[in-house]
Structure formats: structure tokens, C-alpha cells
Amino acid sequence: MDEFDRRAFADLVNAVVMKCFGHPLNSPLSEPESKHLSTEIEESTGLVIGWRSVKNYAAFLLNPSPDKQENPSVATLDTLARYVFNAPVTTEAERKKTEEHFPYWFRYREQTGLSTKPEANTNKPKKERWPVIVAGLFFIAAIGGFLFFRQSSVEQVQEDFHTLDDDYLTKNGWLVQGKNDQYWARRSEQSGRLTLFTLKGDNWPKTGEIPRVQNLLLREIQTDCFRTEVHFTDFVPSGNWQQAGLLLLEDTLFTGKSIRLSLSYNDYFGGYDKPGEILIQAIASYGKGDKNLEEFIHQPLFPLANANDRRIAVTNLKNLAFRIEKQGQKFRVLYSVSPVDNFSFKEITAYEFGMTPKYIGLFALKGFVDSTALMPVSVRYFRLDGQRCE
């Protein structure tokens, strides 16, 4: 970011603060103020800028330092400009379709330039302005090429869990939340596998309990559209609420929207006498304060009426895999269970949900109960591929 862009950026952030709070940026934004501003931007534009980014931008502009630079993406600058200009609400997918050139940022930048660049001279002869016009065209072409290649080289992550020391995980973008030191120390018990345990906790709200998932292994999602999958080995749940799978989260505090996909055990049927079952479950949450979650997948896989049923379940759950594909607001969910590790995926459902996940997590839990036993869960493979939004 050159000096002119920095001035435009500073002016833009000040305009954003002025619009939201009614006063210029003259002191650092507190955490509540940053969260409020982040929410205001999302509600006004339909696009997301995290509250920590908002807070950091304000702090940097008040106390610029050569040792720590803030370089917001062109998309972020465009979102801020959209907020100032009261642009129509959109989505990331829609913006990529129709406004990939980020017109609001360049419009704001141009207005800032007309009013603040002292060397601007509108009385120049037209032929003297031709080099400027040509340079501008080259600049726009360069931006277009940059955006094309950036979209073509989206994030790709593959993890086989052969190395599990904390330094390696941190370096490769993983974060452990709700760490239980006793059981996290056992994560390498099986060679070439990540071992989690169905510890007490849940992101499903319960009176008197704070949502938490112990040893939740998280990483950020860098793209709006993506495909992800996870593979488990020999996981056969046998007690109520015992489960493992994938969590998609808008934030790490369980306050925003989320989707949880898991293999689970159930023997509660509202008073009916039925054998326990192993099932695939997916639930969607609208976030803090919304206690009535939506179960959009409840697919029984194996009834457990007798020892033979149990043997069939154990054999087929030698390998379990989940896949989630996100395009716009559509989440396509697939699964695979098989004695062999290369069985085909089957689609369960395609679910529409207005959510932009920022984090994906690998988890195991047993709910807020003490009666269900802990059991190990072996994860052998994870993949996350960013994709272009169609």
C-alpha cells in the first residue's frame, strides 16, 4: 500500500467510524465498539469484516508504526466503502459475480485523490493527460489479472496427522481450543492418527452449562466457497451423546451461527421401546440466544438390537468419512462407511443456510453427562479445498 492508498484508507476508516458512532476516530475502539461496528457493517452490506480487524485498523491509524503494518485486502477496502456509500446489500458470491473489480473502493479512492492530491491539475491539455489514462488502464488490467490468479490459487490443506507436536500444528494453521492437557497429551497414541476423546462438553445449549468442546482442533477458512472432508477409523459410538465429526463456526465462542455434522449414538425414543442405533446427525444453530436448534439430518445407519447387529456396525465403521461442499448458502453433505478405505461417497442432503463459516473444527464429545464413558476417536485424514464460488 503506497502513501496515497494509506491516506485514502485512513480517510475511509474515519468515515466509517463517523457514520457508525457520529464522531471522528480520535481514540482506540474498545472491544464492544469494534464488535458493534463489525455487526453494523455486516447488516448494512451483507459482507463480513471481523471485529478484531476493525479494532486493529483503528489502532494502527491512530498510532502508525513502521514495525507493524496493516494491509487490508482490496475486498475489505471495498466493503468499508460500500458501508460509507450505503451500497445495496450483497454476498461474497454475488460480489464475485458482478463486482469483482471492487468499484466502491476505487470510487472512494478516486474521490479522495481529487480532493487531497495537490499535484492534480484539471487544466492540463488533454494530450498531456494521455499517459495518465494509459497508466490507469494498465493498472486496472493488472488488478484484474491479480484477482484472476488469486481466485485460481485458492487455499488447499491436506493433513495426514503423522506429525502432531504443538509447534507443527500451530505452524500449519491449527489451533486447539478448550485444551484438556491430560487427554491432549494422548493425541499421538496411534501412529499416523490423531486421537481425540469423547470428553464432557457440547455446543448444544443446556441450562446451567456454558457451551464448550474440549480439545477442539480448529483452523480458519479462508474462502467463502469450499469443500472439506474428514476420515475416521474404527469409531463405533456406544453411549448416548457420544459423537465425533466436523464443526463449522462463525466464531470460536459459539455465539454465531454454526453447523455440526457427526456420527452419534442414540437410544432415547421418547418412551418408545426401540433398540439403540448409530446415526448420522447434523444440526444448525443461529447462535447465542437461539435454544431451538434445527436437526436437518437424522439418518440411522445401524440398529443395535443384538450382537450380530453390533458386529455389522463394527465391520462397516472400519472407515467413516464425511464431506461438506459449500457454494453460496447451499451446504451439500455426503458420507461414506465401509470396511475398505476408498469407498464411494453418498449424498445425504443439500441444505440452505445463511451462514459464512470462518472456522472448521474436528471434535469428539459426549454432551454434559457423566454416565456415558469416554472413548477414543481416531482421525486419519483431513482436507480443505477453497473453491471459486459459482
Side-chain angles (χ1 to χ4, degrees):
M1 185 180 287
D2 62 21
E3 181 59 31
F4 177 52
D5 279 345
R6 272 193 291 272
R7 285 190 304 169
F9 171 47
D11 189 80
L12 177 57
V13 171
N14 194 61
V16 167
V17 172
M18 176 69 80
K19 179 179 178 182
C20 182
F21 299 107
H23 60 75
L25 179 65
N26 46 33
S27 62
L29 296 179
S30 65
E31 180 174 326
E33 288 173 329
S34 301
K35 289 182 176 179
H36 174 68
L37 179 51
S38 176
T39 301
E40 284 285 310
I41 291 171
E42 182 176 3
E43 290 179 351
S44 174
T45 67
L47 305 168
V48 176
I49 300 178
W51 70 267
R52 287 188 176 86
S53 296
V54 170
K55 191 173 191 298
N56 290 340
Y57 296 156
F60 172 73
L61 294 176
L62 288 169
N63 294 289
S65 168
D67 299 326
K68 185 178 180 181
Q69 296 291 322
E70 290 291 342
N71 290 299
S73 66
V74 180
T76 296
L77 294 169
D78 188 69
T79 300
L80 293 171
R82 293 180 75 97
Y83 176 71
V84 172
F85 285 131
N86 295 312
V89 175
T90 187
T91 64
E92 287 292 355
E94 188 64 28
R95 177 163 67 172
K96 287 174 184 176
K97 282 183 184 178
T98 62
E99 296 173 335
E100 198 174 41
H101 55 298
F102 303 119
Y104 290 92
W105 159 241
F106 288 107
R107 174 181 159 192
Y108 192 92
R109 183 181 183 275
E110 181 183 1
Q111 289 185 3
T112 303
L114 290 172
S115 61
T116 61
K117 290 189 79 173
E119 64 271 24
N121 183 359
T122 57
N123 295 318
K124 285 183 180 180
K126 288 184 179 180
K127 65 180 182 180
E128 291 183 20
R129 294 205 298 270
W130 268 110
V132 177
I133 295 171
V134 172
L137 292 174
F138 274 111
F139 176 75
I140 293 171
I143 289 293
F146 166 74
L147 293 172
F148 173 80
F149 285 110
R150 186 184 69 175
Q151 291 255 345
S152 302
S153 56
V154 291
E155 178 188 35
Q156 292 187 327
V157 176
Q158 293 189 62
E159 183 61 71
D160 60 12
F161 300 109
H162 281 72
T163 304
L164 288 169
D165 61 84
D166 286 328
D167 288 342
Y168 169 85
L169 292 173
T170 301
K171 182 180 178 182
N172 285 275
W174 293 101
L175 165 70
V176 185
Q177 180 169 291
K179 184 180 286 188
N180 181 312
D181 291 328
Q182 177 185 353
Y183 286 95
W184 183 246
R186 298 173 59 183
R187 64 190 180 277
S188 303
E189 282 189 346
Q190 295 189 55
S191 178
R193 302 284 190 274
L194 165 68
T195 300
L196 301 174
F197 292 85
T198 55
L199 300 172
K200 186 176 180 179
D202 209 330
N203 69 313
W204 189 299
K206 182 180 179 181
T207 302
E209 298 285 358
I210 298 174
R212 64 190 177 100
V213 178
Q214 298 188 66
N215 292 342
L216 173 60
L217 189 61
L218 290 167
R219 70 177 304 116
E220 287 192 55
I221 300 173
Q222 304 293 336
T223 54
D224 180 52
C225 300
F226 59 85
R227 185 181 75 171
T228 186
E229 64 184 69
V230 63
H231 295 239
F232 299 93
T233 303
D234 296 318
F235 175 51
V236 186
S238 58
N240 256 343
W241 316 118
Q242 226 172 44
Q243 60 192 280
L246 289 171
L247 261 175
L248 298 177
L249 302 166
E250 284 189 333
D251 61 63
T252 60
L253 302 176
F254 305 117
T255 59
K257 296 176 184 176
S258 66
I259 288 177
R260 185 179 82 192
L261 173 65
S262 61
L263 185 75
S264 181
Y265 175 87
N266 175 56
D267 62 9
Y268 177 74
F269 300 99
Y272 289 94
D273 186 14
K274 296 177 63 176
E277 62 185 10
I278 294 174
L279 70 148
I280 295 173
Q281 182 191 57
I283 59 172
S285 169
Y286 282 90
K288 188 176 181 181
D290 188 347
K291 296 183 178 180
N292 296 317
L293 310 189
E294 180 177 349
E295 184 183 41
F296 64 93
I297 295 175
H298 185 111
Q299 179 161 320
L301 292 180
F302 304 104
L304 301 174
N306 52 52
N308 188 56
D309 286 348
R310 181 77 181 176
R311 179 188 61 78
I312 293 173
V314 169
T315 299
N316 283 279
L317 287 170
K318 180 70 176 175
N319 294 282
L320 161 72
F322 288 129
R323 177 181 290 170
I324 301 176
E325 299 173 355
K326 180 181 184 295
Q327 277 287 334
Q329 295 187 357
K330 180 180 287 187
F331 293 82
R332 182 170 177 249
V333 182
L334 306 93
Y335 80 100
S336 172
V337 290
S338 173
V340 296
D341 64 2
N342 60 347
F343 205 62
S344 60
F345 280 90
K346 300 176 183 178
E347 179 178 305
I348 307 175
T349 190
Y351 178 65
E352 295 273 350
F353 190 49
M355 171 190 177
T356 303
K358 296 300 181 185
Y359 298 90
I360 185 167
L362 308 180
F363 78 92
L365 57 85
K366 65 168 188 170
F368 292 108
V369 295
D370 296 312
S371 54
T372 300
L374 301 181
M375 71 177 302
V377 178
S378 296
V379 189
R380 70 175 179 87
Y381 179 74
F382 171 83
R383 180 170 183 147
L384 174 62
D385 295 330
Q387 298 190 330
R388 297 187 69 181
C389 293
E390 298 175 358

